[in-house]
Amino acid sequence: DGGITQSPKYLFRKEGQNVTLSCEQNLNHDAMYWYRQDPGQGLRLIYYSQIVNDFQKGDIAEGYSVSREKKESFPLTVTSAQKNPTAFYLCASSIITQGQASGANVLTFGAGSRLTVL
Amino acid sequence: AQKVTQAQTEISVVEKEDVTLDCVYETRDTTYYLFWYKQPPSGELVFLIRRNSFDEQNEISGRYSWNFQKSTSSFNFTITASQVVDSAVYFCALSEALLGGYQKVTFGTGTKLQVIP
């Protein structure tokens, strides 16, 4: 079955360490997204990518980095510069359509990775 | 700027009761899309429904129904005869097209629904 796989599901990190969260999809989707979820704040966009080797900052990109070397993969690195990294991280993907119809695309989500900084 | 407000943080109902989850949105665009997603305890968000700004027809799918009213900028979600499996966090979202095929999706803060057996 097609879907999005995120790993690890749970991750603990000491302050000052970088950590990379994996996101792999086999849906043949062009667009991929990273969201951060905090209690009471909904989902906030960190980065998104439409094509290999290209990505854009979202609303809260500071302290994060991404790469898109393959269409299927969009890993997120939480760097030591991120001041409050403890959160639930969700990866998503979608098809791409042009024009106004691009707003209609449904996001498919992974099961998330919960990062705790000790 | 887009904004989605889900004023109900948590709702508890007894099984078989009906429950309505409220969603109010703000946008300056005339073309936009509204979504509801369900997040069960497993964590991944699951798509429930999409409406575009030109289609105010209400929709029913089994025990689920949605009421879209542009006049009040609302897109409310009703579950009839709730079941324990409906317990989850529900997100309302607003999506608009951006240049280059991107979409800007703004999520509400979610409503946690607990259905008590």
Side-chain angles (χ1 to χ4, degrees), chain B residues 34-81:
Chain B
L34 295 163
F35 295 79
W36 276 96
Y37 288 88
K38 174 182 180 180
Q39 185 180 39
S42 59
E44 78 184 82
L45 275 73
V46 176
F47 165 73
L48 294 177
I49 190 171
R50 172 187 60 204
R51 305 300 284 173
N52 74 55
S53 52
F54 299 106
D55 182 4
E56 288 191 70
Q57 189 171 10
N58 293 329
E59 183 158 338
I60 298 174
S61 176
R63 296 184 297 107
Y64 295 171
S65 63
W66 291 269
N67 183 306
F68 176 28
Q69 292 193 345
K70 286 182 74 171
S71 60
T72 55
S73 296
S74 65
F75 186 43
N76 296 336
F77 173 28
T78 297
I79 301 174
T80 302

mmCIF file of all heavy atoms in Angstrom, chain B residues 34-81:
data_model
loop_
_atom_site.group_PDB
_atom_site.id
_atom_site.type_symbol
_atom_site.label_atom_id
_atom_site.label_comp_id
_atom_site.label_asym_id
_atom_site.label_seq_id
_atom_site.Cartn_x
_atom_site.Cartn_y
_atom_site.Cartn_z
ATOM 1 N N LEU B 34 -11.780 24.369 1.737
ATOM 2 C CA LEU B 34 -11.887 24.049 3.157
ATOM 3 C C LEU B 34 -11.820 22.540 3.345
ATOM 4 O O LEU B 34 -12.379 21.782 2.550
ATOM 5 C CB LEU B 34 -13.203 24.589 3.725
ATOM 6 C CG LEU B 34 -13.323 26.111 3.723
ATOM 7 C CD1 LEU B 34 -14.765 26.531 3.902
ATOM 8 C CD2 LEU B 34 -12.449 26.705 4.824
ATOM 9 N N PHE B 35 -11.145 22.137 4.396
ATOM 10 C CA PHE B 35 -10.942 20.721 4.665
ATOM 11 C C PHE B 35 -11.255 20.406 6.130
ATOM 12 O O PHE B 35 -11.134 21.278 7.006
ATOM 13 C CB PHE B 35 -9.458 20.332 4.442
ATOM 14 C CG PHE B 35 -8.964 20.453 3.038
ATOM 15 C CD1 PHE B 35 -8.615 21.682 2.510
ATOM 16 C CD2 PHE B 35 -8.813 19.325 2.245
ATOM 17 C CE1 PHE B 35 -8.138 21.802 1.213
ATOM 18 C CE2 PHE B 35 -8.331 19.433 0.954
ATOM 19 C CZ PHE B 35 -7.994 20.666 0.441
ATOM 20 N N TRP B 36 -11.590 19.164 6.360
ATOM 21 C CA TRP B 36 -11.570 18.593 7.709
ATOM 22 C C TRP B 36 -10.680 17.357 7.675
ATOM 23 O O TRP B 36 -10.772 16.530 6.758
ATOM 24 C CB TRP B 36 -12.972 18.193 8.167
ATOM 25 C CG TRP B 36 -13.767 19.332 8.750
ATOM 26 C CD1 TRP B 36 -14.677 20.119 8.092
ATOM 27 C CD2 TRP B 36 -13.729 19.798 10.089
ATOM 28 N NE1 TRP B 36 -15.192 21.043 8.962
ATOM 29 C CE2 TRP B 36 -14.630 20.877 10.189
ATOM 30 C CE3 TRP B 36 -13.023 19.413 11.241
ATOM 31 C CZ2 TRP B 36 -14.856 21.571 11.381
ATOM 32 C CZ3 TRP B 36 -13.231 20.105 12.406
ATOM 33 C CH2 TRP B 36 -14.149 21.166 12.481
ATOM 34 N N TYR B 37 -9.815 17.290 8.708
ATOM 35 C CA TYR B 37 -8.960 16.128 8.899
ATOM 36 C C TYR B 37 -9.195 15.575 10.298
ATOM 37 O O TYR B 37 -9.457 16.325 11.244
ATOM 38 C CB TYR B 37 -7.467 16.502 8.775
ATOM 39 C CG TYR B 37 -6.983 16.808 7.387
ATOM 40 C CD1 TYR B 37 -7.072 18.103 6.860
ATOM 41 C CD2 TYR B 37 -6.407 15.816 6.596
ATOM 42 C CE1 TYR B 37 -6.601 18.389 5.584
ATOM 43 C CE2 TYR B 37 -5.935 16.100 5.317
ATOM 44 C CZ TYR B 37 -6.040 17.392 4.827
ATOM 45 O OH TYR B 37 -5.578 17.677 3.556
ATOM 46 N N LYS B 38 -9.044 14.260 10.431
ATOM 47 C CA LYS B 38 -9.188 13.582 11.720
ATOM 48 C C LYS B 38 -7.823 13.054 12.151
ATOM 49 O O LYS B 38 -7.111 12.441 11.343
ATOM 50 C CB LYS B 38 -10.169 12.413 11.591
ATOM 51 C CG LYS B 38 -10.301 11.537 12.830
ATOM 52 C CD LYS B 38 -11.257 10.383 12.555
ATOM 53 C CE LYS B 38 -11.416 9.479 13.781
ATOM 54 N NZ LYS B 38 -12.356 8.356 13.522
ATOM 55 N N GLN B 39 -7.456 13.293 13.407
ATOM 56 C CA GLN B 39 -6.203 12.772 13.935
ATOM 57 C C GLN B 39 -6.512 11.823 15.089
ATOM 58 O O GLN B 39 -6.722 12.244 16.227
ATOM 59 C CB GLN B 39 -5.279 13.886 14.417
ATOM 60 C CG GLN B 39 -3.911 13.387 14.864
ATOM 61 C CD GLN B 39 -2.998 14.501 15.342
ATOM 62 O OE1 GLN B 39 -3.434 15.439 16.000
ATOM 63 N NE2 GLN B 39 -1.708 14.402 15.012
ATOM 64 N N PRO B 40 -6.523 10.526 14.816
ATOM 65 C CA PRO B 40 -6.750 9.550 15.903
ATOM 66 C C PRO B 40 -5.513 9.460 16.782
ATOM 67 O O PRO B 40 -4.481 10.064 16.462
ATOM 68 C CB PRO B 40 -7.000 8.250 15.136
ATOM 69 C CG PRO B 40 -6.297 8.436 13.831
ATOM 70 C CD PRO B 40 -6.347 9.901 13.522
ATOM 71 N N PRO B 41 -5.582 8.730 17.869
ATOM 72 C CA PRO B 41 -4.421 8.617 18.771
ATOM 73 C C PRO B 41 -3.151 8.106 18.086
ATOM 74 O O PRO B 41 -2.054 8.356 18.570
ATOM 75 C CB PRO B 41 -4.919 7.630 19.834
ATOM 76 C CG PRO B 41 -6.393 7.847 19.870
ATOM 77 C CD PRO B 41 -6.786 8.111 18.448
ATOM 78 N N SER B 42 -3.287 7.421 16.993
ATOM 79 C CA SER B 42 -2.100 6.925 16.283
ATOM 80 C C SER B 42 -1.251 8.057 15.717
ATOM 81 O O SER B 42 -0.067 7.859 15.426
ATOM 82 C CB SER B 42 -2.518 5.995 15.144
ATOM 83 O OG SER B 42 -3.364 6.678 14.240
ATOM 84 N N GLY B 43 -1.841 9.224 15.520
ATOM 85 C CA GLY B 43 -1.042 10.392 15.159
ATOM 86 C C GLY B 43 -1.209 10.929 13.762
ATOM 87 O O GLY B 43 -1.056 12.124 13.555
ATOM 88 N N GLU B 44 -1.463 10.072 12.777
ATOM 89 C CA GLU B 44 -1.512 10.613 11.426
ATOM 90 C C GLU B 44 -2.866 11.232 11.118
ATOM 91 O O GLU B 44 -3.900 10.706 11.490
ATOM 92 C CB GLU B 44 -1.166 9.553 10.393
ATOM 93 C CG GLU B 44 -2.231 8.571 10.053
ATOM 94 C CD GLU B 44 -1.724 7.529 9.084
ATOM 95 O OE1 GLU B 44 -1.085 6.580 9.540
ATOM 96 O OE2 GLU B 44 -1.952 7.689 7.867
ATOM 97 N N LEU B 45 -2.839 12.370 10.438
ATOM 98 C CA LEU B 45 -4.077 13.034 10.057
ATOM 99 C C LEU B 45 -4.683 12.319 8.863
ATOM 100 O O LEU B 45 -3.988 11.958 7.907
ATOM 101 C CB LEU B 45 -3.833 14.499 9.698
ATOM 102 C CG LEU B 45 -3.830 15.493 10.859
ATOM 103 C CD1 LEU B 45 -2.582 15.346 11.690
ATOM 104 C CD2 LEU B 45 -3.981 16.911 10.331
ATOM 105 N N VAL B 46 -5.994 12.156 8.922
ATOM 106 C CA VAL B 46 -6.713 11.480 7.856
ATOM 107 C C VAL B 46 -7.718 12.452 7.248
ATOM 108 O O VAL B 46 -8.483 13.098 7.970
ATOM 109 C CB VAL B 46 -7.446 10.232 8.408
ATOM 110 C CG1 VAL B 46 -8.268 9.579 7.307
ATOM 111 C CG2 VAL B 46 -6.452 9.252 9.002
ATOM 112 N N PHE B 47 -7.713 12.535 5.944
ATOM 113 C CA PHE B 47 -8.610 13.432 5.221
ATOM 114 C C PHE B 47 -10.046 12.961 5.349
ATOM 115 O O PHE B 47 -10.358 11.779 5.186
ATOM 116 C CB PHE B 47 -8.187 13.461 3.748
ATOM 117 C CG PHE B 47 -9.195 14.051 2.811
ATOM 118 C CD1 PHE B 47 -9.418 15.416 2.784
ATOM 119 C CD2 PHE B 47 -9.913 13.238 1.944
ATOM 120 C CE1 PHE B 47 -10.329 15.974 1.901
ATOM 121 C CE2 PHE B 47 -10.829 13.778 1.056
ATOM 122 C CZ PHE B 47 -11.042 15.143 1.036
ATOM 123 N N LEU B 48 -10.957 13.920 5.621
ATOM 124 C CA LEU B 48 -12.386 13.599 5.701
ATOM 125 C C LEU B 48 -13.170 14.204 4.562
ATOM 126 O O LEU B 48 -13.962 13.526 3.910
ATOM 127 C CB LEU B 48 -12.959 14.093 7.038
ATOM 128 C CG LEU B 48 -12.445 13.429 8.310
ATOM 129 C CD1 LEU B 48 -13.065 14.079 9.531
ATOM 130 C CD2 LEU B 48 -12.718 11.934 8.279
ATOM 131 N N ILE B 49 -12.978 15.508 4.312
ATOM 132 C CA ILE B 49 -13.786 16.167 3.309
ATOM 133 C C ILE B 49 -13.101 17.431 2.805
ATOM 134 O O ILE B 49 -12.286 18.028 3.511
ATOM 135 C CB ILE B 49 -15.180 16.544 3.846
ATOM 136 C CG1 ILE B 49 -16.078 17.000 2.692
ATOM 137 C CG2 ILE B 49 -15.069 17.615 4.921
ATOM 138 C CD1 ILE B 49 -17.522 17.188 3.071
ATOM 139 N N ARG B 50 -13.419 17.818 1.589
ATOM 140 C CA ARG B 50 -12.958 19.061 0.977
ATOM 141 C C ARG B 50 -14.147 19.741 0.316
ATOM 142 O O ARG B 50 -14.963 19.100 -0.335
ATOM 143 C CB ARG B 50 -11.899 18.763 -0.085
ATOM 144 C CG ARG B 50 -11.477 19.951 -0.926
ATOM 145 C CD ARG B 50 -10.552 19.503 -2.056
ATOM 146 N NE ARG B 50 -11.209 18.555 -2.922
ATOM 147 C CZ ARG B 50 -10.556 17.677 -3.680
ATOM 148 N NH1 ARG B 50 -9.236 17.620 -3.655
ATOM 149 N NH2 ARG B 50 -11.208 16.849 -4.456
ATOM 150 N N ARG B 51 -14.234 21.075 0.485
ATOM 151 C CA ARG B 51 -15.233 21.888 -0.202
ATOM 152 C C ARG B 51 -14.531 23.068 -0.847
ATOM 153 O O ARG B 51 -13.609 23.637 -0.266
ATOM 154 C CB ARG B 51 -16.297 22.423 0.757
ATOM 155 C CG ARG B 51 -16.996 21.407 1.574
ATOM 156 C CD ARG B 51 -17.709 20.418 0.726
ATOM 157 N NE ARG B 51 -18.953 20.900 0.140
ATOM 158 C CZ ARG B 51 -19.649 20.202 -0.756
ATOM 159 N NH1 ARG B 51 -19.201 19.055 -1.186
ATOM 160 N NH2 ARG B 51 -20.776 20.665 -1.218
ATOM 161 N N ASN B 52 -14.988 23.478 -2.009
ATOM 162 C CA ASN B 52 -14.443 24.693 -2.583
ATOM 163 C C ASN B 52 -15.383 25.859 -2.306
ATOM 164 O O ASN B 52 -16.551 25.667 -1.977
ATOM 165 C CB ASN B 52 -14.143 24.528 -4.078
ATOM 166 C CG ASN B 52 -15.401 24.510 -4.924
ATOM 167 O OD1 ASN B 52 -16.204 25.433 -4.863
ATOM 168 N ND2 ASN B 52 -15.559 23.477 -5.720
ATOM 169 N N SER B 53 -14.851 27.047 -2.453
ATOM 170 C CA SER B 53 -15.569 28.253 -2.032
ATOM 171 C C SER B 53 -16.808 28.537 -2.865
ATOM 172 O O SER B 53 -17.634 29.367 -2.491
ATOM 173 C CB SER B 53 -14.631 29.457 -2.084
ATOM 174 O OG SER B 53 -14.005 29.559 -3.347
ATOM 175 N N PHE B 54 -16.953 27.871 -3.992
ATOM 176 C CA PHE B 54 -18.108 28.118 -4.855
ATOM 177 C C PHE B 54 -19.215 27.086 -4.667
ATOM 178 O O PHE B 54 -20.252 27.176 -5.325
ATOM 179 C CB PHE B 54 -17.660 28.126 -6.324
ATOM 180 C CG PHE B 54 -16.661 29.214 -6.602
ATOM 181 C CD1 PHE B 54 -15.321 28.896 -6.796
ATOM 182 C CD2 PHE B 54 -17.028 30.539 -6.635
ATOM 183 C CE1 PHE B 54 -14.384 29.890 -7.036
ATOM 184 C CE2 PHE B 54 -16.103 31.540 -6.877
ATOM 185 C CZ PHE B 54 -14.779 31.212 -7.080
ATOM 186 N N ASP B 55 -18.981 26.154 -3.788
ATOM 187 C CA ASP B 55 -19.946 25.076 -3.612
ATOM 188 C C ASP B 55 -20.430 25.054 -2.175
ATOM 189 O O ASP B 55 -19.774 24.484 -1.307
ATOM 190 C CB ASP B 55 -19.303 23.737 -3.983
ATOM 191 C CG ASP B 55 -20.281 22.585 -3.873
ATOM 192 O OD1 ASP B 55 -21.480 22.827 -3.575
ATOM 193 O OD2 ASP B 55 -19.857 21.438 -4.086
ATOM 194 N N GLU B 56 -21.581 25.674 -1.941
ATOM 195 C CA GLU B 56 -22.099 25.742 -0.579
ATOM 196 C C GLU B 56 -23.060 24.607 -0.260
ATOM 197 O O GLU B 56 -23.697 24.609 0.780
ATOM 198 C CB GLU B 56 -22.797 27.082 -0.345
ATOM 199 C CG GLU B 56 -21.844 28.244 -0.247
ATOM 200 C CD GLU B 56 -22.542 29.501 0.256
ATOM 201 O OE1 GLU B 56 -22.910 29.546 1.439
ATOM 202 O OE2 GLU B 56 -22.716 30.425 -0.556
ATOM 203 N N GLN B 57 -23.143 23.659 -1.137
ATOM 204 C CA GLN B 57 -24.041 22.544 -0.890
ATOM 205 C C GLN B 57 -23.547 21.740 0.296
ATOM 206 O O GLN B 57 -22.380 21.382 0.382
ATOM 207 C CB GLN B 57 -24.103 21.654 -2.129
ATOM 208 C CG GLN B 57 -25.163 20.590 -2.074
ATOM 209 C CD GLN B 57 -25.309 19.881 -3.408
ATOM 210 O OE1 GLN B 57 -24.499 20.061 -4.307
ATOM 211 N NE2 GLN B 57 -26.349 19.090 -3.556
ATOM 212 N N ASN B 58 -24.436 21.467 1.218
ATOM 213 C CA ASN B 58 -24.064 20.657 2.362
ATOM 214 C C ASN B 58 -23.847 19.208 1.935
ATOM 215 O O ASN B 58 -24.374 18.767 0.907
ATOM 216 C CB ASN B 58 -25.122 20.740 3.455
ATOM 217 C CG ASN B 58 -25.187 22.123 4.065
ATOM 218 O OD1 ASN B 58 -24.188 22.824 4.129
ATOM 219 N ND2 ASN B 58 -26.372 22.521 4.500
ATOM 220 N N GLU B 59 -23.091 18.493 2.725
ATOM 221 C CA GLU B 59 -22.767 17.120 2.358
ATOM 222 C C GLU B 59 -22.963 16.182 3.530
ATOM 223 O O GLU B 59 -22.707 16.537 4.672
ATOM 224 C CB GLU B 59 -21.315 17.035 1.857
ATOM 225 C CG GLU B 59 -20.930 15.636 1.386
ATOM 226 C CD GLU B 59 -19.756 15.661 0.447
ATOM 227 O OE1 GLU B 59 -19.497 16.709 -0.169
ATOM 228 O OE2 GLU B 59 -19.077 14.623 0.336
ATOM 229 N N ILE B 60 -23.432 15.009 3.204
ATOM 230 C CA ILE B 60 -23.633 13.977 4.217
ATOM 231 C C ILE B 60 -22.912 12.715 3.749
ATOM 232 O O ILE B 60 -23.013 12.312 2.595
ATOM 233 C CB ILE B 60 -25.132 13.659 4.416
ATOM 234 C CG1 ILE B 60 -25.872 14.896 4.919
ATOM 235 C CG2 ILE B 60 -25.313 12.495 5.387
ATOM 236 C CD1 ILE B 60 -27.371 14.718 5.000
ATOM 237 N N SER B 61 -22.188 12.121 4.686
ATOM 238 C CA SER B 61 -21.525 10.860 4.403
ATOM 239 C C SER B 61 -21.700 9.960 5.613
ATOM 240 O O SER B 61 -20.984 10.081 6.611
ATOM 241 C CB SER B 61 -20.041 11.096 4.111
ATOM 242 O OG SER B 61 -19.362 9.869 3.920
ATOM 243 N N GLY B 62 -22.655 9.098 5.537
ATOM 244 C CA GLY B 62 -22.937 8.227 6.670
ATOM 245 C C GLY B 62 -23.380 9.025 7.886
ATOM 246 O O GLY B 62 -24.352 9.775 7.828
ATOM 247 N N ARG B 63 -22.642 8.910 8.970
ATOM 248 C CA ARG B 63 -22.991 9.644 10.196
ATOM 249 C C ARG B 63 -22.398 11.052 10.206
ATOM 250 O O ARG B 63 -22.640 11.813 11.132
ATOM 251 C CB ARG B 63 -22.480 8.864 11.409
ATOM 252 C CG ARG B 63 -23.116 7.510 11.615
ATOM 253 C CD ARG B 63 -22.628 6.837 12.883
ATOM 254 N NE ARG B 63 -21.183 6.556 12.850
ATOM 255 C CZ ARG B 63 -20.285 7.229 13.543
ATOM 256 N NH1 ARG B 63 -20.640 8.232 14.333
ATOM 257 N NH2 ARG B 63 -18.997 6.901 13.472
ATOM 258 N N TYR B 64 -21.604 11.373 9.197
ATOM 259 C CA TYR B 64 -20.934 12.673 9.128
ATOM 260 C C TYR B 64 -21.702 13.602 8.200
ATOM 261 O O TYR B 64 -22.178 13.185 7.142
ATOM 262 C CB TYR B 64 -19.514 12.519 8.579
ATOM 263 C CG TYR B 64 -18.545 11.728 9.426
ATOM 264 C CD1 TYR B 64 -17.294 11.392 8.917
ATOM 265 C CD2 TYR B 64 -18.853 11.323 10.717
ATOM 266 C CE1 TYR B 64 -16.377 10.678 9.673
ATOM 267 C CE2 TYR B 64 -17.941 10.610 11.479
ATOM 268 C CZ TYR B 64 -16.702 10.288 10.951
ATOM 269 O OH TYR B 64 -15.790 9.582 11.706
ATOM 270 N N SER B 65 -21.773 14.864 8.596
ATOM 271 C CA SER B 65 -22.344 15.878 7.711
ATOM 272 C C SER B 65 -21.595 17.188 7.915
ATOM 273 O O SER B 65 -21.047 17.449 8.984
ATOM 274 C CB SER B 65 -23.848 16.065 7.966
ATOM 275 O OG SER B 65 -24.074 16.537 9.284
ATOM 276 N N TRP B 66 -21.595 17.987 6.855
ATOM 277 C CA TRP B 66 -20.875 19.252 6.886
ATOM 278 C C TRP B 66 -21.781 20.359 6.400
ATOM 279 O O TRP B 66 -22.497 20.208 5.407
ATOM 280 C CB TRP B 66 -19.634 19.176 5.994
ATOM 281 C CG TRP B 66 -18.592 18.258 6.532
ATOM 282 C CD1 TRP B 66 -17.560 18.577 7.365
ATOM 283 C CD2 TRP B 66 -18.478 16.861 6.286
ATOM 284 N NE1 TRP B 66 -16.814 17.462 7.654
ATOM 285 C CE2 TRP B 66 -17.355 16.383 7.008
ATOM 286 C CE3 TRP B 66 -19.208 15.935 5.541
ATOM 287 C CZ2 TRP B 66 -16.943 15.057 7.001
ATOM 288 C CZ3 TRP B 66 -18.810 14.598 5.536
ATOM 289 C CH2 TRP B 66 -17.685 14.185 6.258
ATOM 290 N N ASN B 67 -21.713 21.491 7.100
ATOM 291 C CA ASN B 67 -22.533 22.656 6.778
ATOM 292 C C ASN B 67 -21.604 23.818 6.462
ATOM 293 O O ASN B 67 -20.918 24.339 7.335
ATOM 294 C CB ASN B 67 -23.433 22.989 7.980
ATOM 295 C CG ASN B 67 -24.360 24.147 7.684
ATOM 296 O OD1 ASN B 67 -23.915 25.220 7.290
ATOM 297 N ND2 ASN B 67 -25.650 23.929 7.862
ATOM 298 N N PHE B 68 -21.599 24.224 5.188
ATOM 299 C CA PHE B 68 -20.736 25.309 4.729
ATOM 300 C C PHE B 68 -21.596 26.537 4.483
ATOM 301 O O PHE B 68 -22.512 26.498 3.665
ATOM 302 C CB PHE B 68 -20.031 24.879 3.448
ATOM 303 C CG PHE B 68 -19.168 25.939 2.810
ATOM 304 C CD1 PHE B 68 -18.564 26.932 3.545
ATOM 305 C CD2 PHE B 68 -18.949 25.916 1.434
ATOM 306 C CE1 PHE B 68 -17.770 27.895 2.941
ATOM 307 C CE2 PHE B 68 -18.145 26.868 0.824
ATOM 308 C CZ PHE B 68 -17.557 27.858 1.574
ATOM 309 N N GLN B 69 -21.299 27.628 5.178
ATOM 310 C CA GLN B 69 -22.042 28.870 5.002
ATOM 311 C C GLN B 69 -21.062 30.016 4.788
ATOM 312 O O GLN B 69 -20.394 30.458 5.721
ATOM 313 C CB GLN B 69 -22.915 29.144 6.224
ATOM 314 C CG GLN B 69 -24.065 28.157 6.399
ATOM 315 C CD GLN B 69 -25.083 28.632 7.425
ATOM 316 O OE1 GLN B 69 -24.810 29.544 8.209
ATOM 317 N NE2 GLN B 69 -26.259 28.026 7.430
ATOM 318 N N LYS B 70 -21.015 30.508 3.565
ATOM 319 C CA LYS B 70 -20.105 31.618 3.259
ATOM 320 C C LYS B 70 -20.524 32.885 3.969
ATOM 321 O O LYS B 70 -19.690 33.713 4.320
ATOM 322 C CB LYS B 70 -20.058 31.854 1.747
ATOM 323 C CG LYS B 70 -19.268 30.811 1.001
ATOM 324 C CD LYS B 70 -19.206 31.107 -0.471
ATOM 325 C CE LYS B 70 -18.264 32.252 -0.790
ATOM 326 N NZ LYS B 70 -18.050 32.387 -2.248
ATOM 327 N N SER B 71 -21.820 33.062 4.180
ATOM 328 C CA SER B 71 -22.301 34.298 4.806
ATOM 329 C C SER B 71 -21.746 34.473 6.213
ATOM 330 O O SER B 71 -21.562 35.604 6.682
ATOM 331 C CB SER B 71 -23.830 34.302 4.838
ATOM 332 O OG SER B 71 -24.307 33.195 5.594
ATOM 333 N N THR B 72 -21.475 33.376 6.882
ATOM 334 C CA THR B 72 -20.923 33.443 8.239
ATOM 335 C C THR B 72 -19.488 32.918 8.290
ATOM 336 O O THR B 72 -18.921 32.779 9.372
ATOM 337 C CB THR B 72 -21.785 32.628 9.209
ATOM 338 O OG1 THR B 72 -21.893 31.287 8.716
ATOM 339 C CG2 THR B 72 -23.168 33.237 9.355
ATOM 340 N N SER B 73 -18.920 32.609 7.132
ATOM 341 C CA SER B 73 -17.554 32.070 7.041
ATOM 342 C C SER B 73 -17.377 30.874 7.975
ATOM 343 O O SER B 73 -16.429 30.797 8.777
ATOM 344 C CB SER B 73 -16.515 33.146 7.380
ATOM 345 O OG SER B 73 -16.556 34.192 6.449
ATOM 346 N N SER B 74 -18.302 29.953 7.876
ATOM 347 C CA SER B 74 -18.242 28.797 8.753
ATOM 348 C C SER B 74 -18.320 27.495 7.963
ATOM 349 O O SER B 74 -18.944 27.445 6.897
ATOM 350 C CB SER B 74 -19.360 28.859 9.795
ATOM 351 O OG SER B 74 -20.619 28.758 9.172
ATOM 352 N N PHE B 75 -17.697 26.485 8.512
ATOM 353 C CA PHE B 75 -17.689 25.158 7.881
ATOM 354 C C PHE B 75 -17.757 24.145 9.005
ATOM 355 O O PHE B 75 -16.759 23.551 9.395
ATOM 356 C CB PHE B 75 -16.431 25.004 7.038
ATOM 357 C CG PHE B 75 -16.381 23.735 6.229
ATOM 358 C CD1 PHE B 75 -17.484 23.259 5.530
ATOM 359 C CD2 PHE B 75 -15.189 23.015 6.127
ATOM 360 C CE1 PHE B 75 -17.425 22.097 4.782
ATOM 361 C CE2 PHE B 75 -15.115 21.850 5.368
ATOM 362 C CZ PHE B 75 -16.235 21.395 4.702
ATOM 363 N N ASN B 76 -18.949 23.925 9.512
ATOM 364 C CA ASN B 76 -19.134 23.101 10.695
ATOM 365 C C ASN B 76 -19.336 21.629 10.357
ATOM 366 O O ASN B 76 -19.863 21.291 9.292
ATOM 367 C CB ASN B 76 -20.329 23.604 11.506
ATOM 368 C CG ASN B 76 -20.106 25.003 12.038
ATOM 369 O OD1 ASN B 76 -18.968 25.441 12.199
ATOM 370 N ND2 ASN B 76 -21.188 25.714 12.299
ATOM 371 N N PHE B 77 -18.951 20.797 11.284
ATOM 372 C CA PHE B 77 -18.919 19.349 11.089
ATOM 373 C C PHE B 77 -19.761 18.696 12.171
ATOM 374 O O PHE B 77 -19.529 18.933 13.354
ATOM 375 C CB PHE B 77 -17.451 18.901 11.168
ATOM 376 C CG PHE B 77 -17.196 17.427 11.148
ATOM 377 C CD1 PHE B 77 -18.056 16.534 10.521
ATOM 378 C CD2 PHE B 77 -16.052 16.908 11.738
ATOM 379 C CE1 PHE B 77 -17.801 15.170 10.493
ATOM 380 C CE2 PHE B 77 -15.775 15.543 11.720
ATOM 381 C CZ PHE B 77 -16.648 14.677 11.092
ATOM 382 N N THR B 78 -20.740 17.897 11.763
ATOM 383 C CA THR B 78 -21.623 17.229 12.715
ATOM 384 C C THR B 78 -21.469 15.724 12.612
ATOM 385 O O THR B 78 -21.482 15.160 11.520
ATOM 386 C CB THR B 78 -23.093 17.612 12.476
ATOM 387 O OG1 THR B 78 -23.245 19.015 12.700
ATOM 388 C CG2 THR B 78 -24.011 16.847 13.422
ATOM 389 N N ILE B 79 -21.318 15.099 13.759
ATOM 390 C CA ILE B 79 -21.312 13.638 13.835
ATOM 391 C C ILE B 79 -22.613 13.221 14.505
ATOM 392 O O ILE B 79 -22.910 13.653 15.632
ATOM 393 C CB ILE B 79 -20.115 13.114 14.648
ATOM 394 C CG1 ILE B 79 -18.801 13.593 14.012
ATOM 395 C CG2 ILE B 79 -20.144 11.595 14.732
ATOM 396 C CD1 ILE B 79 -17.566 13.235 14.832
ATOM 397 N N THR B 80 -23.361 12.406 13.820
ATOM 398 C CA THR B 80 -24.630 11.919 14.343
ATOM 399 C C THR B 80 -24.417 10.557 15.001
ATOM 400 O O THR B 80 -23.658 9.733 14.496
ATOM 401 C CB THR B 80 -25.646 11.787 13.196
ATOM 402 O OG1 THR B 80 -25.792 13.062 12.561
ATOM 403 C CG2 THR B 80 -26.996 11.315 13.713
ATOM 404 N N ALA B 81 -25.086 10.370 16.130
ATOM 405 C CA ALA B 81 -24.983 9.087 16.839
ATOM 406 C C ALA B 81 -23.517 8.698 17.039
ATOM 407 O O ALA B 81 -23.042 7.679 16.540
ATOM 408 C CB ALA B 81 -25.739 7.997 16.091
#
